């Protein structure tokens, strides 16, 4: 049995060795890249078949390994070396065969692919050669004009660039052909084929260069002619423009003698233009030879139009001399009216500049009172600007009267337009500043209400908390007092709100403020109750004396504060500050009442304490009534002082505007201007009087 296993192993090794050597022989026969493409393809197919047999070799090796394993388990140690040696040799032979299969097939396949890619690129190259030959073969077509010739030249340059860009492709093809030639030795890629490819490319390249050079010559010749025509047209336009300056009055400041001199110079230039035109005619004859018939006709027509224009200019030059005498007669009247127009323009500009300078808002941050002052100043300036509108219309009328003169109105028109634009600019600036200021005032007035609406949910959430923090309650109370002051201040500005918002919107806004004040009062009382409850929880272990003494002390302190506020204040700021302090004292009394109510709970069964609490309550109510009277009186004083300040500001603005107009009247010259200034002052006085009546 042991001998049989060893024989089977030896037989499998011999069988596999014979198969591998047969495969290597077939590979050796096909391991060659030389020869025609059909032979290379046949060798490629043969190596593909051999590579397909590689799994068979793997099976043979697997069989050998199985037989070797069986033999090694059954034979003695003295014969194992022989089996292992044969196993090692057959493994090496199989590895060599497998590598040979892969390398041989890959080498032939790579040469096949390289050849295929070369043939594909070669076909594309020869297709391009054919297309370029078809494109360059026809003769150059005559074009209509310069633009068409430039397009034709550009197209030829594009073709040349395409040809030059293909030189790289040619070089790569030649390198590839040379590489293939060394590998396959086929005549289809030998040196003669490479030379033929280069010669065909160079023929295309030379033809493309020749065409570009010819078209460049034709185009440059036409460009020179076109440049000369443009220069002649520019010269002719310049002469016509100089002539038109004399005809249309653009040189009316000069004398008739100067104009006649200018006309003679123009006539001299016109005569020299005849020689220039003749040179163009000779040059045109050369360009026409390389131009299409229709283009040649257009060039001839263009030259003829230039000749006619030159003759017409010569005729008009002689006729213009007769017109100069009439210009002299109108010159004097024109200058007088022009001076008057410029004087009126300067006067208007001066007034507009003064109004604009008075309205510099500055860049610094402004208080509410400063915004109110600026807003009133804008309104006063708009009234003063409206008085300048008749002067603008007067300028337009004067300009229309000047238009009947033959002189150039360009400068006067620009001056009038500039003055009107300055007027419109100042009006727009004043309107924008007034609108912006009004928007700022509206924002400032609406801010407290908006902030209150943002603050209210926070307080409601705080009150809804089962055990709020005492510090949060006290902070909310402080903010509530601030809101009370701001909302009360808004209610005192009814007249100003009517001016800024309008009566209807101001009424609606004040209603919102009043509703917010009521909501704030409710929230404030709720906060005080919450605070008192918290404090009661903290101090409920203390007796009545410990709770009553602070009440008496706080009541005394409030009385002392109230006594200090009985003295009247001289100005609006002092009165407003005093009102705010009284309102803060009112909040303290409200808080004291709540604290008193909490202390009263401790004296239900104590007669002596009840008497003290009744006396304290009586004193507190008396102090509260006295405080309410003082607050009402203070509010009335603030409202009256506020109205007084508004009217005083209006009067100061009116006095400023009136003083500026008086100064302007004093600096004006002529009886007519003085009467006009007086009329303006009277109108301003009447309009201010009506405005004051409306306010009253």
């Amino acid at each position: 049995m042991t001998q049989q296993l060893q024989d089977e192993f030896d037989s499998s090794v011999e069988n596999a060795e014979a198969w591998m050597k047969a495969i290597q022989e077939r590979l050796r026969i096909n391991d060659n890249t030389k020869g025609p493409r059909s032979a290379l393809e046949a060798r490629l197919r043969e190596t593909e078949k051999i590579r397909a047999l590689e799994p068979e070799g793997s099976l043979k090796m697997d069989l050998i390994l199985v037989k070797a394993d069986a033999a090694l388990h059954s034979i003695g140690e003295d014969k194992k070396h022989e089996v292992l040696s044969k196993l090692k040799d057959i493994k090496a032979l199989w590895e060599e065969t497998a590598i040979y299969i892969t390398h041989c097939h890959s080498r032939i396949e790579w040469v096949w692919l390289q050849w295929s890619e070369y043939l594909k690129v070669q076909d594309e190259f020869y297709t391009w050669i054919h297309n370029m030959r078809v494109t360059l073969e026809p003769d150059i077509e005559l074009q209509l004009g310069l633009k068409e010739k430039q397009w034709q030249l550009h197209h030829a340059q594009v073709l040349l660039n395409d040809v030059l860009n293909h030189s790289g492709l040619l070089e790569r093809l030649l390198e590839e052909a040379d590489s293939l030639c060394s590998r396959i030795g086929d005549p289809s890629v030998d040196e003669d084929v490479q030379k033929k490819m280069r010669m065909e490319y160079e023929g295309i390249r030379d033809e493309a260069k020749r065409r570009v050079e010819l078209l460049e010559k034709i185009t440059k010749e036409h460009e020179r002619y076109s440049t000369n025509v443009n220069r002649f047209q520019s010269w002719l336009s310049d002469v016509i423009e100089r002539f038109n300056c004399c005809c249309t009055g653009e040189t009316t400041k000069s004398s008739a003698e100067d104009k006649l001199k200018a006309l003679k110079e123009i006539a001299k230039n016109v005569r020299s233009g005849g020689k220039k035109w003749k040179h163009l005619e000779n040059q045109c004859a050369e360009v026409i030879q390389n131009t299409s018939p229709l283009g040649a006709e257009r060039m001839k027509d263009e030259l003829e139009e230039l000749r006619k224009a030159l003759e017409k200019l010569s005729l008009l030059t002689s006729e213009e001399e007769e017109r100069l005498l009439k210009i002299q007669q109108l010159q004097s009247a024109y200058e007088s009216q022009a001076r008057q127009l410029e004087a009126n323009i300067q006067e208007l500009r001066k007034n507009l500049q003064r109004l604009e300078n008075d309205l510099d808002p500055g860049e610094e941050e402004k208080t509410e009172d400063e915004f109110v002052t600026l807003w009133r100043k804008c309104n006063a300036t708009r009234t003063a600007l409206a008085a300048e509108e008749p002067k603008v219309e007067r300028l337009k009328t004067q300009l229309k009267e000047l238009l009947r003169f033959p002189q150039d109105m360009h400068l006067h028109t620009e001056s009038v337009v500039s003055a009107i634009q300055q007027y419109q600019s100042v009006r727009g600036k004043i309107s924008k500043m007034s609108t912006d200021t009004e928007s700022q005032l509206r924002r400032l007035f609406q801010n407290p209400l908006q902030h209150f609406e943002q603050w209210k949910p926070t307080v409601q959430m705080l009150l809804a908390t089962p055990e709020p923090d005492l510090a949060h309650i006290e902070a909310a109370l402080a903010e509530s007092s601030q809101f009370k002051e701001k909302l009360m201040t808004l209610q005192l500005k009814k007249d100003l709100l009517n001016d800024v918002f309008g009566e209807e919107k101001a009424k609606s806004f004040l209603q919102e403020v009043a509703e917010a004040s009521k909501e704030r009062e409710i929230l404030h009382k709720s906060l005080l109750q919450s605070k008192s409850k918290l404090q009661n929880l903290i101090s409920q272990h203390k007796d009545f004396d410990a709770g009553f003494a602070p009440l008496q002390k706080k009541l005394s302190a409030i009385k002392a504060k109230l006594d200090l506020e009985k003295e009247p204040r001289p100005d609006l700021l002092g009165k407003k500050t005093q009102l705010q302090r009284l309102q803060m004292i009112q909040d303290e009394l409200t808080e004291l009442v709540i604290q008193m109510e909490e202390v009263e709970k401790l004296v239900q069964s104590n007669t002596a304490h009840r008497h003290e609490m009744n006396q304290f309550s009586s004193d507190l109510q008396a102090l509260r009534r006295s405080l309410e009277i003082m607050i009402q009186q203070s509010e009335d004083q603030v409202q009256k002082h506020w109205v007084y300040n508004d009217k005083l500001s209006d009067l100061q603005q009116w006095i400023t505007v009136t003083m500026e107009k008086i100064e302007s009247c004093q600096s004006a010259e002529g009886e007519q201007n003085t009467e006009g200034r007086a009329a303006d002052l009277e109108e301003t006085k009447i309009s201010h009087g009506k405005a004051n009546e409306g306010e009253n």
Side-chain angles (χ1 to χ4, degrees), residues 109-156:
E109 184 180 36
W110 186 84
V111 173
W112 166 262
L113 293 175
Q114 183 184 13
W115 200 347
S116 299
E117 185 65 24
Y118 166 77
L119 291 175
K120 179 182 176 182
V121 177
Q122 185 186 49
D123 288 343
E124 293 176 358
F125 179 76
Y126 275 113
T127 300
W128 173 81
I129 288 287
H130 173 73
N131 292 337
M132 290 301 298
R133 186 176 290 112
V134 171
T135 302
L136 297 173
E137 186 175 358
D139 293 334
I140 294 175
E141 182 181 356
L142 297 179
Q143 298 298 318
L144 182 65
L146 176 59
K147 184 180 292 185
E148 290 76 13
K149 291 179 181 180
Q150 289 173 338
W151 288 345
Q152 189 181 38
L153 172 60
H154 176 69
H155 182 257

Side-chain angles (χ1 to χ4, degrees), residues 434-496:
S434 178
T435 302
D436 292 345
T437 307
E438 187 172 306
S439 299
Q440 289 288 348
L441 283 175
R442 290 184 179 186
R443 182 181 60 79
L444 289 173
F445 292 152
Q446 292 172 343
N447 277 346
L449 203 58
Q450 294 174 352
H451 293 164
F452 174 75
E453 291 298 328
Q454 296 171 357
W455 173 78
K456 184 169 63 176
T458 305
V459 175
Q460 291 172 342
M461 289 177 61
L462 182 63
L463 292 173
T465 304
E467 295 183 4
D469 186 77
L470 181 60
H472 292 168
I473 294 292
E474 291 177 344
L477 284 169
E479 291 179 349
S480 175
S481 300
Q482 294 175 2
F483 279 121
K484 179 178 182 180
E485 174 190 345
K486 293 177 181 178
L487 295 174
M488 182 66 70
T489 303
L490 284 176
Q491 291 174 326
L492 295 175
K493 297 178 180 180
K494 180 178 179 181
D495 293 339
L496 180 59

Side-chain angles (χ1 to χ4, degrees), residues 20-74:
M20 292 177 192
K21 289 182 178 180
I23 291 295
Q24 288 189 6
E25 179 61 23
R26 291 173 64 185
L27 288 173
R28 184 187 62 76
I29 294 172
N30 289 282
D31 190 9
N32 181 19
T33 59
K34 300 289 184 179
R37 184 171 174 81
S38 58
L40 183 64
E41 184 177 6
R43 289 192 291 272
L44 178 63
R45 298 293 174 260
E46 182 65 20
T47 57
E48 286 177 348
K49 294 177 182 179
I50 294 172
R51 191 174 63 170
L53 296 174
E54 188 173 351
E56 182 181 346
S58 296
L59 288 175
K60 290 181 181 295
M61 285 301 301
D62 292 340
L63 179 61
I64 290 172
L65 293 175
V66 171
K67 298 294 184 182
D69 185 62
L72 289 172
H73 282 85
S74 62

